[in-house]
Amino acid sequence: MDLRSETHADRRRAVLSAEVEPSRRMNICDVGASAIGEAPYAGLLRDGLAHVYGFEPSPEQFTRLQEIKSEQETYFEAAVGAPGKRTLHIHPRPGFTSLFKMDAASMKAIGKEKLVSDRVEEVELTTVALDEVEDLPRVDVLKMDLQGGELEVLKGAEDRLSEAVAVVSEVRFHRIYEGEPMFGDIDVELRRQGFRLHKLLFTKSVMMPHDHEGAVVRKRMTSQLLDGDAVYVREADYSAEFSDDKLLFLLLAADAMFDSPDFVLHLMEVAVERGLLPKGLWRDYVARLRSHQQAGKEGGA
């Protein structure tokens, strides 16, 4: 790696990558993979610790992914959801393309009616459940961002997710699309499948429309929650119920994919007890946390 472009996250992850030795690469499934921007698991790919199985129905995006992929990436030109014939609503702004039609009334309620475009292209396609994809192994971590289709993915992936340690999903608090599942629906399904909410990676809010918008600072007056990304982790006694690989995969995901260094340190203690990591590794890891996360003196055993 070019040290001039090395990030703080790279330096922190390097402490783990040098010591973590699972028996195989972590299987990451990315539903809604895109060639736009760097994925949160990119560092794990660079370190040779993961293999990504991505799904992208857009021919243009799929072709781009095929052009830039590494040997540790496998992509499927397929739309994931409840199996059957569906309509993909391709919005002029790619981030709003969905299997669901945009809800005009709901968008108007938050002053975003201009996003309800009359230039949406409708394309017929066939969706497939993850459990039906023969070349997809059981998943260790699932990442989803597909504008309303997340619940369908979860319901069609019980076998593929049966050994998963974490799920990172976009969740909605205010409806954007007609009939799309909301945060509560996603939460119920993930808890049913044995996961618990760990954190919200981020949330987006918007300002409610009013006649005095010119008199206020918009970015300081956004009270209406819109959406965000939620992290769910497997509900378990990690010291007793997790295999060595599952423990190490969750530790790596907590560091690289959802930025939970306290969780990493928690799991590291279990890994040290099993002899999977050296006892003093926590010191090197803490030394690479950002300054505001450090106490300024050693702590712990």
Side-chain angles (χ1 to χ4, degrees), residues 162-229:
S162 60
E163 298 297 324
V165 298
V167 174
V168 182
S169 176
E170 183 180 40
V171 293
R172 194 87 66 226
F173 304 108
H174 179 87
R175 194 175 305 284
I176 294 180
Y177 304 96
E178 295 179 359
E180 70 168 326
M182 304 300 285
F183 170 63
D185 304 307
I186 302 294
D187 182 75
V188 168
E189 179 60 23
L190 280 165
R191 290 182 186 277
R192 186 186 71 81
Q193 293 196 35
F195 298 90
R196 63 174 175 84
L197 180 63
H198 171 60
K199 70 186 292 186
L200 294 175
L201 274 176
F202 71 91
T203 59
K204 286 189 293 185
S205 301
V206 297
M207 184 172 73
M208 293 299 293
H210 55 85
D211 293 335
H212 313 289
E213 295 183 12
V216 301
V217 180
R218 177 180 292 270
K219 66 181 180 180
R220 296 187 181 277
M221 196 175 291
T222 54
S223 60
Q224 177 58 57
L225 271 173
L226 184 62
D227 55 23
D229 280 358

Side-chain angles (χ1 to χ4, degrees), residues 29-250:
C29 180
D30 188 348
V31 181
S34 172
I36 302 173
E38 184 171 85
Y41 46 73
L44 296 175
L45 287 177
R46 288 194 292 268
D47 292 347
L49 292 168
H51 191 107
V52 171
Y53 297 85
F55 290 81
E56 175 51 65
S58 166
E60 180 180 345
Q61 284 292 315
F62 175 76
T63 298
R64 176 60 178 152
L65 287 167
Q66 290 289 84
E67 290 173 348
I68 64 176
K69 73 174 185 177
S70 67
E71 293 182 356
Q72 294 159 223
E73 297 169 78
T74 301
Y75 292 103
F76 302 87
E77 189 178 0
V80 181
K85 300 291 184 180
R86 304 290 292 279
T87 299
L88 182 67
H89 304 275
I90 301 178
H91 196 278
R93 294 174 60 171
F96 289 100
T97 294
S98 174
L99 289 171
F100 295 81
K101 184 179 179 180
M102 194 166 278
D103 190 322
S106 185
M107 295 299 281
K108 183 179 180 179
I110 58 172
K112 299 297 182 182
E113 58 268 32
K114 290 183 179 179
L115 287 173
V116 185
S117 174
D118 58 4
R119 296 186 294 113
V120 172
E121 179 186 359
E122 295 186 353
V123 176
E124 302 302 313
L125 48 71
T126 300
T127 47
V128 60
L130 288 182
D131 280 348
E132 296 180 341
V133 181
E134 293 183 359
D135 294 331
L136 177 68
R138 282 185 170 166
V139 174
D140 299 306
V141 177
L142 171 65
K143 174 185 172 296
M144 296 186 291
D145 184 357
L146 59 160
Q147 301 302 311
E150 291 80 9
L151 185 61
E152 291 186 22
V153 173
L154 293 172
K155 288 186 173 182
E158 288 199 55
D159 177 70
R160 293 300 189 271
L161 289 178
S162 60
E163 298 297 324
V165 298
V167 174
V168 182
S169 176
E170 183 180 40
V171 293
R172 194 87 66 226
F173 304 108
H174 179 87
R175 194 175 305 284
I176 294 180
Y177 304 96
E178 295 179 359
E180 70 168 326
M182 304 300 285
F183 170 63
D185 304 307
I186 302 294
D187 182 75
V188 168
E189 179 60 23
L190 280 165
R191 290 182 186 277
R192 186 186 71 81
Q193 293 196 35
F195 298 90
R196 63 174 175 84
L197 180 63
H198 171 60
K199 70 186 292 186
L200 294 175
L201 274 176
F202 71 91
T203 59
K204 286 189 293 185
S205 301
V206 297
M207 184 172 73
M208 293 299 293
H210 55 85
D211 293 335
H212 313 289
E213 295 183 12
V216 301
V217 180
R218 177 180 292 270
K219 66 181 180 180
R220 296 187 181 277
M221 196 175 291
T222 54
S223 60
Q224 177 58 57
L225 271 173
L226 184 62
D227 55 23
D229 280 358
V231 177
Y232 283 77
V233 297
R234 178 68 66 183
E235 184 79 70
D237 177 348
Y238 303 123
S239 61
E241 300 176 41
F242 263 27
S243 67
D244 291 349
D245 278 350
K246 290 177 73 170
L247 179 67
L248 295 176
F249 291 155
L250 183 55

